[in-house]
Amino acid sequence: MKTIDELLAEGVSGKRVFVRADLNVPLDGTTITDDGRIRAVVPTVKALADAGARVVVASHLGRPKGAPDPAFSLAPAAKRLGELLDADVAFATDTVGESAKATVAALTDGRVAVVENLRFNAGETSKDDAEREAFAAELAGLADVYVGDGFGAVHRKHASVFDLPARLPHYAGYLIATEVGVLKKLTEEVERPYVVVLGGAKVSDKLGVIDNLLKKADRILIGGGMAYTFLAAKGHEVGISLLQADQKDTCLDYLAEAEKRGVEFVLPVDVLVSAEFPDLKTKAPATYETVASDAIPADKEGLDIGPKTRELYAAKLADAGTVFWNGPMGVFEHPDYANGTKAVAQALLDSPGFTVVGGGDSAAAVRTLGFDENAFGHISTGGGASLEYLEGKTLPGLAALED
């Protein structure tokens, strides 16, 4: 795929450059609680603006139902982008309507505009090819060149991600080029031992990646809610912990496959349990106890890995040549259940290897818990996209950027 550096070498002064970004940031009302994805696209937008392009930034935010919804407006993201660029950023109150057309027409060389949430138009996410392509045609009318830089959306076959690049000269932005380079290090150029840490709520969310990484990893460490399905599969009581009973046989298959391949498959040895889920708004102190992972009381729920597991996982990461981590170890949003996730993050920092935090809740946890994100080898902006790449799937947004 061609990169933005090639585009800049060709010259962009005076050209309208459509940048498909990922500004899908978490909001508390209109307050952005984590601006990581906005900061990630700044190098691409700044380079284009500095070279005299008229930059049109577009993104989705949340899951509106194909129609305008003020709760999902990109206005706060546009404002934050302007602050990060230290420049005025114009904002169109629609996507391809009169406001968008007028806003883009008013751009001068080196200026930036953001159009409203792409998902306010049903054509963006439509499964009907014709409807999606019709919306892509309208978007193409706003630009002369396409730059894909929304890595968090490249696993979606959406109009702005998949159909639009075919209508314009297309290039990969700095973020996508970086993300693809990192993922190749995790699949093609791996330094060993290769350790994978998987957490999060559901085993079903990680089936494909576990299946594929069993062929590549040396160790797989499991935490978060998904650990309890593995523990239940082994015949252990898991109380009222999160459980996908229909996945127990699959978990047993993975454990058997790991043993066959000589892959260390490590489950928690102790967990923090409570009869009550913590209050994530008030962060009031929780009542909990630490128990062995094979001795969870029937009336209690596992909410974090315990201290022995934290030590075990740190030891398993200590000599890693490559680490990929996706998914928190517990309910990290509450301070009493954040220590497992903190321990994994710290172990990655202490590891001598190349460390990748695989987007989503893991990336949010790193920032929320106060870690220096620049100390990690890479923090991905796209958890779902990273996982699908590691599953070996073809990602529509990356395929569309290929010549």
Side-chain angles (χ1 to χ4, degrees), residues 54-77:
R54 304 177 182 192
V55 187
V56 182
V57 180
S59 175
H60 71 286
L61 192 152
R63 296 179 182 272
K65 305 298 183 182
D69 183 338
F72 297 105
S73 175
L74 277 176

Side-chain angles (χ1 to χ4, degrees), residues 26-90:
L27 293 171
D28 182 2
T30 59
T31 301
I32 296 169
T33 57
D34 181 355
D35 68 355
R37 285 176 168 165
I38 303 175
R39 285 185 285 114
V41 79
V42 165
T44 289
V45 174
K46 188 175 188 309
L48 290 167
D50 287 349
R54 304 177 182 192
V55 187
V56 182
V57 180
S59 175
H60 71 286
L61 192 152
R63 296 179 182 272
K65 305 298 183 182
D69 183 338
F72 297 105
S73 175
L74 277 176
K79 179 183 177 184
R80 181 59 181 147
L81 179 62
E83 292 169 352
L84 292 166
L85 291 169
D86 193 23
D88 290 332
V89 169

